[in-house]
Amino acid sequence: MFVLGYKNIHFDDFEIDQYGIWSQICINCHKKNFISHKIDDYPGSDVICGVKGCANEAEFYIDFIEKNVTYHKGTLTLSREDFISEYYNNDKLF
C-alpha cells in the first residue's frame, strides 16, 4: 500500500500530477490535525477523505507543500522518485 505522509498525517488517497500533490480532507480530520493552510474549494459530493482510515465525506481539497511530504510503501520510506516510479508502475507521470 502506498501512503503519503504530510505533517505526521498519513493519506492513502492522493494525487501527484502536473499541478502538484493534493488530496481531499473532511472537516473532522482538518480540525483534528490543525491544518491551517493550502485548503481549497469543496470537492463535491461522494468524495471520501484521503486520510488513512477515514471514510467521511471530504469537504476540502488540500495542496501539499513538497518539502513536508514523505513517501511510503508498506513500512518503507522511499525517495520521491522511487515512490512515483513504483506508484505509477514506471509509467511516465505527465
Side-chain angles (χ1 to χ4, degrees):
M1 170 182 274
F2 292 92
V3 174
L4 186 140
Y6 186 73
K7 296 189 172 190
N8 297 319
I9 308 162
H10 292 104
F11 289 82
D12 59 5
D13 184 12
F14 53 87
E15 292 295 326
I16 302 172
D17 60 22
Q18 68 269 27
Y19 304 108
I21 305 169
W22 56 275
S23 186
Q24 56 281 343
I25 192 166
C26 71
I27 192 71
N28 292 335
C29 289
H30 177 259
K31 287 180 179 178
K32 176 182 171 186
N33 294 292
F34 304 107
I35 299 171
S36 61
H37 66 282
K38 294 289 185 181
I39 300 295
D40 293 326
D41 297 333
Y42 176 68
S45 61
D46 299 325
V47 177
I48 302 301
C49 181
V51 174
K52 185 176 179 183
C54 184
N56 293 333
E57 186 172 329
E59 298 190 37
F60 306 102
Y61 284 117
I62 178 170
D63 298 318
F64 301 116
I65 299 170
E66 178 95 30
K67 70 179 182 176
N68 296 326
V69 174
T70 55
Y71 305 91
H72 309 275
K73 180 181 179 186
T75 59
L76 299 175
T77 299
L78 304 175
S79 69
R80 182 184 192 280
E81 294 76 22
D82 289 344
F83 181 88
I84 289 172
S85 177
E86 290 192 37
Y87 184 72
Y88 289 99
N89 294 319
N90 295 311
D91 290 338
K92 190 170 182 176
L93 181 57
F94 309 121

